[in-house]
Amino acid sequence: MLDTNNNEFYEFATSNLGSEVVDKLFVAAAQENYMLKHDKDGAVLELAPDLTLKIASHNANGGAAWGLYVTDKDQSVSWFKVLLEYPFLRKWYLENIGDLQIRSDSLVF
């Protein structure tokens, strides 16, 4: 959750993300004057001119997996920082933690 590389894919623990979770994000974003846009394999949320959150159904290698990317011009923003700076995203994430929990390697932790 701390990697700032634009190619970092934060894979969700669930392999089948329900549409209701993304629908909740659409509503939460709209209430904060952001527009969640449909993308070919997920959804994109532009948080700032140089900061984008993308929820994708495939990782960078094309493998089937739900997760997200955080991209910014300077590659200085992590998913953790996004959660700290955008309360509506933090609330959405925590309310749906069962589906959105970031997969981790049990050997590392």
PDB file of all heavy atoms in Angstrom, residues 9-28:
ATOM      1  N   PHE A   9       0.341  -2.680  -8.972  1.00  0.00           N
ATOM      2  CA  PHE A   9      -1.041  -3.155  -8.999  1.00  0.00           C
ATOM      3  C   PHE A   9      -1.379  -3.645  -7.603  1.00  0.00           C
ATOM      4  O   PHE A   9      -0.792  -4.610  -7.120  1.00  0.00           O
ATOM      5  CB  PHE A   9      -1.191  -4.289 -10.021  1.00  0.00           C
ATOM      6  CG  PHE A   9      -2.593  -4.824 -10.132  1.00  0.00           C
ATOM      7  CD1 PHE A   9      -3.601  -4.063 -10.692  1.00  0.00           C
ATOM      8  CD2 PHE A   9      -2.890  -6.094  -9.684  1.00  0.00           C
ATOM      9  CE1 PHE A   9      -4.896  -4.557 -10.807  1.00  0.00           C
ATOM     10  CE2 PHE A   9      -4.174  -6.607  -9.793  1.00  0.00           C
ATOM     11  CZ  PHE A   9      -5.171  -5.830 -10.354  1.00  0.00           C
ATOM     12  N   TYR A  10      -2.287  -2.957  -6.947  1.00  0.00           N
ATOM     13  CA  TYR A  10      -2.732  -3.345  -5.604  1.00  0.00           C
ATOM     14  C   TYR A  10      -3.891  -4.328  -5.778  1.00  0.00           C
ATOM     15  O   TYR A  10      -5.028  -3.937  -5.997  1.00  0.00           O
ATOM     16  CB  TYR A  10      -3.195  -2.123  -4.813  1.00  0.00           C
ATOM     17  CG  TYR A  10      -2.124  -1.068  -4.618  1.00  0.00           C
ATOM     18  CD1 TYR A  10      -2.098   0.078  -5.406  1.00  0.00           C
ATOM     19  CD2 TYR A  10      -1.153  -1.212  -3.635  1.00  0.00           C
ATOM     20  CE1 TYR A  10      -1.130   1.058  -5.217  1.00  0.00           C
ATOM     21  CE2 TYR A  10      -0.181  -0.240  -3.436  1.00  0.00           C
ATOM     22  CZ  TYR A  10      -0.178   0.886  -4.242  1.00  0.00           C
ATOM     23  OH  TYR A  10       0.778   1.854  -4.055  1.00  0.00           O
ATOM     24  N   GLU A  11      -3.584  -5.601  -5.692  1.00  0.00           N
ATOM     25  CA  GLU A  11      -4.582  -6.639  -5.946  1.00  0.00           C
ATOM     26  C   GLU A  11      -5.496  -6.817  -4.747  1.00  0.00           C
ATOM     27  O   GLU A  11      -5.046  -6.918  -3.609  1.00  0.00           O
ATOM     28  CB  GLU A  11      -3.894  -7.963  -6.266  1.00  0.00           C
ATOM     29  CG  GLU A  11      -4.852  -9.053  -6.669  1.00  0.00           C
ATOM     30  CD  GLU A  11      -4.143 -10.323  -7.094  1.00  0.00           C
ATOM     31  OE1 GLU A  11      -2.917 -10.310  -7.286  1.00  0.00           O
ATOM     32  OE2 GLU A  11      -4.848 -11.348  -7.220  1.00  0.00           O
ATOM     33  N   PHE A  12      -6.807  -6.855  -5.009  1.00  0.00           N
ATOM     34  CA  PHE A  12      -7.788  -7.092  -3.955  1.00  0.00           C
ATOM     35  C   PHE A  12      -7.772  -8.562  -3.551  1.00  0.00           C
ATOM     36  O   PHE A  12      -7.472  -9.433  -4.367  1.00  0.00           O
ATOM     37  CB  PHE A  12      -9.199  -6.710  -4.419  1.00  0.00           C
ATOM     38  CG  PHE A  12      -9.374  -5.262  -4.785  1.00  0.00           C
ATOM     39  CD1 PHE A  12     -10.203  -4.911  -5.832  1.00  0.00           C
ATOM     40  CD2 PHE A  12      -8.733  -4.258  -4.083  1.00  0.00           C
ATOM     41  CE1 PHE A  12     -10.391  -3.585  -6.176  1.00  0.00           C
ATOM     42  CE2 PHE A  12      -8.906  -2.915  -4.417  1.00  0.00           C
ATOM     43  CZ  PHE A  12      -9.743  -2.588  -5.474  1.00  0.00           C
ATOM     44  N   ALA A  13      -8.131  -8.821  -2.317  1.00  0.00           N
ATOM     45  CA  ALA A  13      -8.187 -10.196  -1.818  1.00  0.00           C
ATOM     46  C   ALA A  13      -9.248 -11.006  -2.554  1.00  0.00           C
ATOM     47  O   ALA A  13      -9.083 -12.202  -2.765  1.00  0.00           O
ATOM     48  CB  ALA A  13      -8.449 -10.199  -0.315  1.00  0.00           C
ATOM     49  N   THR A  14     -10.323 -10.365  -2.967  1.00  0.00           N
ATOM     50  CA  THR A  14     -11.377 -11.066  -3.689  1.00  0.00           C
ATOM     51  C   THR A  14     -11.047 -11.127  -5.172  1.00  0.00           C
ATOM     52  O   THR A  14     -10.492 -10.187  -5.730  1.00  0.00           O
ATOM     53  CB  THR A  14     -12.758 -10.393  -3.496  1.00  0.00           C
ATOM     54  OG1 THR A  14     -13.752 -11.177  -4.143  1.00  0.00           O
ATOM     55  CG2 THR A  14     -12.798  -9.000  -4.075  1.00  0.00           C
ATOM     56  N   SER A  15     -11.367 -12.230  -5.797  1.00  0.00           N
ATOM     57  CA  SER A  15     -11.098 -12.368  -7.228  1.00  0.00           C
ATOM     58  C   SER A  15     -12.310 -11.986  -8.072  1.00  0.00           C
ATOM     59  O   SER A  15     -12.221 -11.924  -9.295  1.00  0.00           O
ATOM     60  CB  SER A  15     -10.688 -13.805  -7.546  1.00  0.00           C
ATOM     61  OG  SER A  15     -11.722 -14.689  -7.181  1.00  0.00           O
ATOM     62  N   ASN A  16     -13.432 -11.718  -7.418  1.00  0.00           N
ATOM     63  CA  ASN A  16     -14.658 -11.381  -8.142  1.00  0.00           C
ATOM     64  C   ASN A  16     -15.323 -10.181  -7.471  1.00  0.00           C
ATOM     65  O   ASN A  16     -16.160 -10.352  -6.593  1.00  0.00           O
ATOM     66  CB  ASN A  16     -15.596 -12.582  -8.194  1.00  0.00           C
ATOM     67  CG  ASN A  16     -16.760 -12.346  -9.125  1.00  0.00           C
ATOM     68  OD1 ASN A  16     -16.748 -11.437  -9.939  1.00  0.00           O
ATOM     69  ND2 ASN A  16     -17.788 -13.170  -9.004  1.00  0.00           N
ATOM     70  N   LEU A  17     -14.954  -8.993  -7.890  1.00  0.00           N
ATOM     71  CA  LEU A  17     -15.494  -7.777  -7.299  1.00  0.00           C
ATOM     72  C   LEU A  17     -16.901  -7.537  -7.807  1.00  0.00           C
ATOM     73  O   LEU A  17     -17.135  -7.456  -9.014  1.00  0.00           O
ATOM     74  CB  LEU A  17     -14.596  -6.586  -7.650  1.00  0.00           C
ATOM     75  CG  LEU A  17     -14.916  -5.281  -6.957  1.00  0.00           C
ATOM     76  CD1 LEU A  17     -14.688  -5.407  -5.449  1.00  0.00           C
ATOM     77  CD2 LEU A  17     -14.057  -4.162  -7.520  1.00  0.00           C
ATOM     78  N   GLY A  18     -17.850  -7.425  -6.897  1.00  0.00           N
ATOM     79  CA  GLY A  18     -19.243  -7.200  -7.268  1.00  0.00           C
ATOM     80  C   GLY A  18     -19.484  -5.782  -7.765  1.00  0.00           C
ATOM     81  O   GLY A  18     -18.833  -4.839  -7.325  1.00  0.00           O
ATOM     82  N   SER A  19     -20.417  -5.632  -8.672  1.00  0.00           N
ATOM     83  CA  SER A  19     -20.708  -4.316  -9.239  1.00  0.00           C
ATOM     84  C   SER A  19     -21.240  -3.348  -8.188  1.00  0.00           C
ATOM     85  O   SER A  19     -21.080  -2.137  -8.323  1.00  0.00           O
ATOM     86  CB  SER A  19     -21.702  -4.442 -10.395  1.00  0.00           C
ATOM     87  OG  SER A  19     -22.927  -4.979  -9.931  1.00  0.00           O
ATOM     88  N   GLU A  20     -21.850  -3.868  -7.120  1.00  0.00           N
ATOM     89  CA  GLU A  20     -22.390  -2.982  -6.089  1.00  0.00           C
ATOM     90  C   GLU A  20     -21.288  -2.206  -5.369  1.00  0.00           C
ATOM     91  O   GLU A  20     -21.496  -1.071  -4.939  1.00  0.00           O
ATOM     92  CB  GLU A  20     -23.259  -3.743  -5.078  1.00  0.00           C
ATOM     93  CG  GLU A  20     -22.530  -4.746  -4.213  1.00  0.00           C
ATOM     94  CD  GLU A  20     -22.300  -6.105  -4.869  1.00  0.00           C
ATOM     95  OE1 GLU A  20     -22.815  -6.352  -5.976  1.00  0.00           O
ATOM     96  OE2 GLU A  20     -21.579  -6.916  -4.268  1.00  0.00           O
ATOM     97  N   VAL A  21     -20.091  -2.768  -5.280  1.00  0.00           N
ATOM     98  CA  VAL A  21     -18.974  -2.075  -4.638  1.00  0.00           C
ATOM     99  C   VAL A  21     -18.551  -0.888  -5.495  1.00  0.00           C
ATOM    100  O   VAL A  21     -18.333   0.212  -4.989  1.00  0.00           O
ATOM    101  CB  VAL A  21     -17.783  -3.038  -4.401  1.00  0.00           C
ATOM    102  CG1 VAL A  21     -16.582  -2.288  -3.860  1.00  0.00           C
ATOM    103  CG2 VAL A  21     -18.192  -4.149  -3.444  1.00  0.00           C
ATOM    104  N   VAL A  22     -18.470  -1.082  -6.796  1.00  0.00           N
ATOM    105  CA  VAL A  22     -18.110   0.004  -7.707  1.00  0.00           C
ATOM    106  C   VAL A  22     -19.243   1.033  -7.755  1.00  0.00           C
ATOM    107  O   VAL A  22     -18.981   2.240  -7.810  1.00  0.00           O
ATOM    108  CB  VAL A  22     -17.780  -0.537  -9.113  1.00  0.00           C
ATOM    109  CG1 VAL A  22     -17.441   0.593 -10.073  1.00  0.00           C
ATOM    110  CG2 VAL A  22     -16.634  -1.533  -9.040  1.00  0.00           C
ATOM    111  N   ASP A  23     -20.482   0.583  -7.707  1.00  0.00           N
ATOM    112  CA  ASP A  23     -21.623   1.503  -7.675  1.00  0.00           C
ATOM    113  C   ASP A  23     -21.560   2.418  -6.453  1.00  0.00           C
ATOM    114  O   ASP A  23     -21.860   3.612  -6.543  1.00  0.00           O
ATOM    115  CB  ASP A  23     -22.948   0.737  -7.665  1.00  0.00           C
ATOM    116  CG  ASP A  23     -23.233   0.031  -8.981  1.00  0.00           C
ATOM    117  OD1 ASP A  23     -22.563   0.337  -9.988  1.00  0.00           O
ATOM    118  OD2 ASP A  23     -24.124  -0.847  -8.986  1.00  0.00           O
ATOM    119  N   LYS A  24     -21.158   1.870  -5.327  1.00  0.00           N
ATOM    120  CA  LYS A  24     -21.020   2.674  -4.110  1.00  0.00           C
ATOM    121  C   LYS A  24     -19.944   3.740  -4.278  1.00  0.00           C
ATOM    122  O   LYS A  24     -20.087   4.865  -3.798  1.00  0.00           O
ATOM    123  CB  LYS A  24     -20.698   1.788  -2.909  1.00  0.00           C
ATOM    124  CG  LYS A  24     -21.844   0.912  -2.464  1.00  0.00           C
ATOM    125  CD  LYS A  24     -21.404   0.004  -1.331  1.00  0.00           C
ATOM    126  CE  LYS A  24     -22.477  -0.998  -0.961  1.00  0.00           C
ATOM    127  NZ  LYS A  24     -22.027  -1.934   0.092  1.00  0.00           N
ATOM    128  N   LEU A  25     -18.867   3.394  -4.977  1.00  0.00           N
ATOM    129  CA  LEU A  25     -17.820   4.374  -5.241  1.00  0.00           C
ATOM    130  C   LEU A  25     -18.337   5.468  -6.170  1.00  0.00           C
ATOM    131  O   LEU A  25     -18.041   6.648  -5.973  1.00  0.00           O
ATOM    132  CB  LEU A  25     -16.576   3.714  -5.837  1.00  0.00           C
ATOM    133  CG  LEU A  25     -15.445   4.669  -6.217  1.00  0.00           C
ATOM    134  CD1 LEU A  25     -14.994   5.505  -5.018  1.00  0.00           C
ATOM    135  CD2 LEU A  25     -14.284   3.901  -6.808  1.00  0.00           C
ATOM    136  N   PHE A  26     -19.114   5.095  -7.165  1.00  0.00           N
ATOM    137  CA  PHE A  26     -19.690   6.071  -8.083  1.00  0.00           C
ATOM    138  C   PHE A  26     -20.511   7.102  -7.311  1.00  0.00           C
ATOM    139  O   PHE A  26     -20.372   8.309  -7.513  1.00  0.00           O
ATOM    140  CB  PHE A  26     -20.564   5.365  -9.127  1.00  0.00           C
ATOM    141  CG  PHE A  26     -21.248   6.313 -10.075  1.00  0.00           C
ATOM    142  CD1 PHE A  26     -20.561   6.812 -11.171  1.00  0.00           C
ATOM    143  CD2 PHE A  26     -22.556   6.701  -9.867  1.00  0.00           C
ATOM    144  CE1 PHE A  26     -21.194   7.699 -12.047  1.00  0.00           C
ATOM    145  CE2 PHE A  26     -23.188   7.584 -10.726  1.00  0.00           C
ATOM    146  CZ  PHE A  26     -22.504   8.080 -11.825  1.00  0.00           C
ATOM    147  N   VAL A  27     -21.344   6.638  -6.392  1.00  0.00           N
ATOM    148  CA  VAL A  27     -22.187   7.525  -5.599  1.00  0.00           C
ATOM    149  C   VAL A  27     -21.344   8.391  -4.666  1.00  0.00           C
ATOM    150  O   VAL A  27     -21.541   9.611  -4.575  1.00  0.00           O
ATOM    151  CB  VAL A  27     -23.239   6.717  -4.800  1.00  0.00           C
ATOM    152  CG1 VAL A  27     -23.982   7.593  -3.806  1.00  0.00           C
ATOM    153  CG2 VAL A  27     -24.206   6.021  -5.750  1.00  0.00           C
ATOM    154  N   ALA A  28     -20.387   7.774  -3.975  1.00  0.00           N
ATOM    155  CA  ALA A  28     -19.522   8.519  -3.045  1.00  0.00           C
ATOM    156  C   ALA A  28     -18.723   9.589  -3.782  1.00  0.00           C
ATOM    157  O   ALA A  28     -18.582  10.715  -3.297  1.00  0.00           O
ATOM    158  CB  ALA A  28     -18.590   7.558  -2.306  1.00  0.00           C
TER     159      ALA A  28
END
